[in-house]
Amino acid sequence: MAKHIFVTGGVTSSLGKGIIAASLAKLLQARGLSVTIQKLDPYINVDPGTLNPYEHGECYVTEDGAETDLDLGHYERFLNTPTSQANNVTTGRIYQTVIEKERAGAFLGKTVQVIPHITDEIKNRITLQEKNNHWDIVITEIGGTVGDIESLPYLEALRQLRREIGKENCLVVHLTLIPYLKAAKELKTKPTQHSVKELLQAGIQPDILVCRTEYHLPKELKEKLALFCNVDENSVIEALDAETIYDVPLLMLKEKLDKTVLKKLGIKNNTEPDLTSWKEFLGKLKNPTHEVNIGLVGKYNELQDAYKSIYEAFIHAGAVNECKVNVVPIHSEKLESGEVPSKLKNLDGILVAPGFGERGIAGKLEAIRFVRENKIPFFGICLGMQCAVVEFSKNVLNIKDANSTEVEPNTPNPVIDLMDDQKTVINKGGTMRLGAYACKLAKNSISYKSYGKADISERHRHRYEFNNVYLDRMESAGLVATGKNPESGLVEVVELKDHPYFVGVQYHPELKSTVENPHPLFVSFIKAALQNK
Ligand code: GLN
């Protein structure tokens, strides 16, 4: 049986439960234990696929095509192991399952209630991981903040599970905030005391407090927290604001979070965590010898979380190249035609981001035209690749009304179009082309050279596709399909001839970039940007 660790959050949201969970998992993994992390999200959407990025940040896609919370991206980037549909569940999905069972007659004669039916289903989901695979440790992050109405059934399920499997097999780590009051020049513990009380009301005594703080926690303050919150003194862990999220595992190591956890769970493990490659990465990240400025052209730029995996992939690729990557957000809607040269001319490379709908497309097309003509390195992802195809059709093939049918449903020249199997789809949730698909790369292409092999697999999340009716015309004019799906023939990668670096991909390479495996295309793009400097 796996041992369970739960991570709850108190006082405010955005304390970084995902990063703490991933950092703890990293330390345990580096000690040779097998660890997985899952996230329980208390909202009613069945998954975040139908959420606007402004609501909840990027939607992260797993190998098996689940549209999930962006914290799963952190789990993968830290642990370098893939997650799946089973690693993320929402209240919507829990209720959906219970209601389907009710309709099928599974509870005939009974009133279906939050306790026990919803809580049983939550427990089912929590223990699903160990039914599918062997894990020494399963870490479960409970989304939201303790005290939220929506979180209650999850806390109740946790209380029950803990009773059933025993405290020695189940640990609760509570992440809280210790605010600093400038006027009083003091760190304050009261909000933490209150949030622990809130947990106690749900029948849960936390075992470990991880305290987010801007300043070092003095010993007296740790003692006070331990006393008032009824935890061991060495179980009050300081989590100082970090320069980068990738420092957090080392900060937690210094605070002995891993040792405390192992001791409380009764796991004997005397190996020191092997963090050699992690530290090597940090060394390169913090001592860059060069610097590049990359424009990120997108329409959700107000919120960094909307492009989380892209930002992280740049960090990984920058470190390999010993290069600091300054990502300059450029709002596509604000790229009016006249402004493009002044906004883009000092950049060493441009990435045009994924996205949906018509808003901001004109700015993206202008930006692509500029980098194509001026031979500035270009990397287009999903919608970014589709825009490159539209721009090329309009301005090089001279098909002025060429477009994607997502933008102009009745265009006479749909160079990007829906596949037939998408045309009949009505439901919006979970119906895109999702998850991992194979792709074969053409020898001598930039992408082939970047990956160092022809057969790759990448994750998708889109409805529209390159329209192969136009392929010959594009290729003879210089935009070549260098990556195709071997079964369907769908175009997955396009590259421009006679350009130092012009690569558009229909898939989402950013989702597979990890600290230990930086994505080859991000790495080659940064290299090209460095050469362009
Ligand atoms: N909106 C485009 C499509 O659905 C691109 C999606 C994306 O960029 N993820 O095909």
Side-chain angles (χ1 to χ4, degrees):
M1 196 191 81
K3 302 258 183 183
H4 285 267
I5 301 173
F6 288 86
V7 179
T8 58
V11 183
T12 73
S13 57
S14 306
L15 289 182
K17 283 195 296 285
I19 301 294
I20 291 293
S23 299
L24 173 58
K26 183 77 220 170
L27 294 179
L28 298 170
Q29 185 196 53
R31 285 171 171 273
L33 296 161
S34 62
V35 192
T36 189
I37 323 181
Q38 56 187 347
K39 173 139 195 219
L40 309 177
D41 270 313
Y43 52 76
I44 311 215
N45 304 63
V46 171
D47 62 42
T50 51
L51 291 175
N52 179 323
Y54 292 124
E55 291 279 318
H56 209 67
E58 156 192 283
C59 173
Y60 189 78
V61 182
T62 57
E63 286 291 295
D64 61 350
E67 296 178 282
T68 71
D69 186 78
L70 60 77
D71 273 333
L72 271 76
H74 292 310
Y75 308 161
E76 290 201 9
R77 288 187 281 273
F78 276 56
L79 297 183
N80 201 31
T81 49
T83 54
S84 72
Q85 175 77 73
N87 293 71
N88 190 199
V89 69
T90 67
T91 295
R93 197 177 288 278
I94 298 280
Y95 271 81
Q96 190 185 43
T97 312
V98 172
I99 290 169
E100 273 166 14
K101 280 189 190 163
E102 187 274 337
R103 291 289 82 184
F107 315 113
L108 271 189
K110 291 267 179 265
T111 311
V112 181
Q113 294 180 298
V114 173
I115 306 169
H117 302 97
I118 295 298
T119 45
D120 278 353
E121 186 53 34
I122 295 174
K123 286 190 283 179
N124 252 338
R125 286 297 304 224
I126 292 172
T127 48
L128 196 63
Q129 294 290 350
E130 67 210 84
K131 286 172 201 144
N132 293 343
N133 274 305
H134 166 80
W135 299 107
D136 295 320
I137 294 173
V138 176
I139 301 183
T140 305
E141 178 190 346
I142 301 185
T145 308
V146 168
D148 295 346
I149 292 177
E150 295 104 52
S151 307
L152 282 173
Y154 293 97
L155 296 178
E156 171 58 15
L158 159 54
R159 184 191 70 78
Q160 293 176 15
L161 189 81
R162 206 177 193 199
R163 230 183 110 251
E164 289 158 21
I165 64 176
K167 280 193 176 163
E168 64 290 0
N169 295 317
C170 181
L171 202 68
V172 178
V173 176
H174 187 54
L175 177 63
T176 95
L177 175 72
I178 309 291
Y180 179 75
L181 284 194
K182 233 199 221 151
K185 294 198 177 62
E186 258 187 285
L187 287 163
K188 292 303 205 185
T189 65
K190 194 71 79 189
T192 298
Q193 295 178 40
H194 280 295
S195 92
V196 169
K197 247 193 207 151
E198 199 72 55
L199 262 180
L200 282 171
Q201 242 173 57
I204 298 162
Q205 165 68 50
D207 302 286
I208 295 176
L209 298 179
V210 175
C211 306
R212 275 297 300 273
T213 170
E214 285 175 54
Y215 298 94
H216 189 57
L217 296 184
K219 190 167 182 324
E220 312 78 75
L221 203 123
K222 281 191 167 181
E223 283 167 6
K224 183 175 173 187
L225 278 165
L227 177 68
F228 281 64
C229 300
N230 203 19
V231 298
D232 299 332
E233 220 181 289
N234 63 5
S235 298
V236 180
I237 305 285
E238 168 187 282
L240 265 180
D241 286 358
E243 193 186 313
T244 143
I245 54 169
Y246 299 107
D247 273 337
V248 180
L250 297 182
L251 292 176
M252 291 301 104
L253 179 71
K254 220 168 117 204
E255 285 286 296
K256 302 193 174 72
L257 175 61
D258 53 333
K259 274 198 177 142
T260 308
V261 161
L262 291 174
K263 190 159 172 240
K264 287 195 184 289
L265 287 175
I267 299 175
K268 290 212 168 43
N269 179 297
N270 296 322
T271 43
E272 277 306 303
D274 177 8
L275 292 163
T276 323
S277 59
W278 193 271
K279 286 181 185 161
E280 232 166 71
F281 157 78
L282 274 177
K284 285 187 181 168
L285 179 66
K286 293 188 174 180
N287 301 292
T289 47
H290 334 271
E291 190 165 340
V292 288
N293 297 317
I294 303 291
L296 171 57
V297 179
K299 68 170 171 177
Y300 308 114
N301 267 321
E302 298 85 345
L303 188 76
Q304 262 212 22
D305 272 2
Y307 301 120
K308 193 85 213 165
S309 294
I310 292 178
Y311 276 90
E312 299 307 319
F314 275 132
I315 293 177
H316 310 152
V320 190
N321 284 298
E322 293 179 33
C323 172
K324 179 165 191 257
V325 180
N326 303 313
V327 180
V328 183
I330 297 171
H331 209 295
S332 49
E333 265 185 303
K334 293 185 187 141
L335 276 185
E336 321 254 284
S337 40
E339 281 180 35
V340 167
S342 65
K343 285 213 164 127
L344 303 191
K345 72 171 189 289
N346 291 325
L347 297 168
D348 307 309
I350 296 286
L351 185 146
V352 177
F356 292 84
E358 183 205 358
R359 186 166 68 88
I361 293 283
K364 287 183 176 168
L365 297 181
E366 288 297 331
I368 294 169
R369 176 177 202 156
F370 183 79
V371 296
R372 179 176 57 75
E373 291 177 346
N374 291 286
K375 304 217 184 294
I376 297 171
F378 163 78
F379 191 13
I381 297 183
C382 209
L383 181 65
M385 172 265 202
Q386 298 175 352
C387 286
V389 170
V390 172
E391 190 279 326
F392 189 82
S393 309
K394 282 183 188 290
N395 300 327
V396 179
L397 297 183
N398 233 337
I399 316 176
K400 290 296 171 205
D401 53 9
N403 218 328
S404 159
T405 46
E406 180 178 15
V407 178
E408 205 187 316
N410 298 319
T411 172
N413 282 296
V415 288
I416 301 291
D417 198 7
L418 282 182
M419 292 279 86
D420 282 342
D421 56 354
Q422 277 287 343
K423 287 185 179 154
T424 48
V425 170
I426 300 165
N427 276 356
K428 293 282 184 237
T431 55
M432 282 187 252
R433 182 177 173 212
L434 288 166
Y437 283 88
C439 171
K440 201 164 196 72
L441 300 173
K443 295 248 159 83
N444 294 323
S445 59
I446 291 180
S447 42
Y448 177 85
K449 285 179 199 148
S450 308
Y451 284 90
K453 57 181 179 187
D455 292 300
I456 59 160
S457 162
E458 290 282 0
R459 299 184 199 168
H460 292 247
R461 181 174 188 250
H462 56 99
R463 272 183 222 288
Y464 295 83
E465 306 280 356
F466 183 103
N467 185 346
N468 274 326
V469 169
Y470 295 87
L471 181 60
D472 287 345
R473 282 162 80 184
M474 302 249 186
E475 291 204 321
S476 29
L479 189 69
V480 184
T482 55
K484 283 190 189 161
N485 179 287
E487 281 117 54
S488 61
L490 287 172
V491 172
E492 312 285 35
V493 188
V494 293
E495 293 181 24
L496 193 61
K497 280 193 204 151
D498 304 321
H499 189 287
Y501 194 103
F502 191 100
V503 178
V505 291
Q506 184 57 81
Y507 49 80
H508 288 267
E510 73 277 18
L511 302 176
K512 282 180 73 168
S513 187
T514 71
V515 167
E516 267 132 296
N517 267 323
H519 196 282
L521 285 179
F522 276 86
V523 174
S524 62
F525 176 56
I526 294 301
K527 248 189 209 121
L530 263 168
Q531 275 155 13
N532 172 50
K533 245 181 114 81

